[in-house]
Amino acid sequence: MTVVDRLLAFSGLLNKLHVQYAQFPCSHSIPNTALDIAPPCATPVIQAVYDARQNAQQARIEALQAEVKELQKTLGEGENAEQIVSKHIKLLHRYNEAKDATQILIGKLAAYRQATIRQVHNDFGLTDED
């Protein structure tokens, strides 16, 4: 379990403490249902839990930003995702057309040799995955 995972799990404790804390609000507290803002009169324990949750969220944000940067390096800066997907689809179509044409030729060669397609595949060292 990573530090981020532990901190996120620890944030569940914040929810439990908030429910307990809400039963005994201080006189100048404000409603805090979103748990985004620590109550103004938070005890040290509640403040520590709140800080841990904030740190976990910040660590998660930083991890996601690092992942985005890494993916942008891999794909190229400023590349349009739709263009990349479109290019890959076109390449897959070209590959499939070439493979289909090859299978047709292998079938004709097998008929000419009066052999099975599997025998022709074996003659050329082709596997079932090819």
Side-chain angles (χ1 to χ4, degrees):
M1 182 179 260
T2 66
V3 173
V4 173
D5 292 335
R6 279 187 254 149
L7 289 173
L8 289 174
F10 192 59
S11 71
L13 179 61
L14 175 66
N15 291 330
K16 291 178 185 175
L17 288 175
H18 180 70
V19 169
Q20 293 173 355
Y21 178 77
Q23 295 172 358
F24 306 102
C26 56
S27 60
H28 60 281
S29 68
I30 55 174
N32 185 18
T33 56
L35 296 176
D36 290 333
I37 302 171
C41 61
T43 64
V45 172
I46 291 175
Q47 187 64 46
V49 171
Y50 169 79
D51 291 341
R53 183 169 183 250
Q54 291 298 98
N55 291 340
Q57 288 175 344
Q58 187 61 36
R60 179 73 175 139
I61 289 169
E62 290 170 3
L64 289 172
Q65 288 172 341
E67 185 178 350
V68 166
K69 286 181 182 178
E70 185 64 32
L71 288 172
Q72 284 178 338
K73 283 181 187 177
T74 302
L75 297 175
E77 286 290 328
E79 289 290 328
N80 185 346
E82 290 178 17
Q83 289 176 342
I84 293 170
V85 170
S86 177
K87 180 181 176 183
H88 283 237
I89 289 172
K90 287 177 186 176
L91 290 172
L92 283 171
H93 283 301
R94 287 177 61 189
Y95 168 79
N96 285 332
E97 288 171 359
K99 186 174 179 182
D100 291 344
T102 303
Q103 290 302 319
I104 290 169
L105 291 174
I106 288 174
K108 289 186 181 215
L109 181 60
Y112 177 76
R113 289 184 178 178
Q114 295 181 346
T116 64
I117 292 175
R118 178 159 311 275
Q119 288 172 334
V120 173
H121 275 227
N122 289 339
D123 292 344
F124 286 100
L126 300 173
T127 64
D128 290 337
E129 291 84 31
D130 291 331

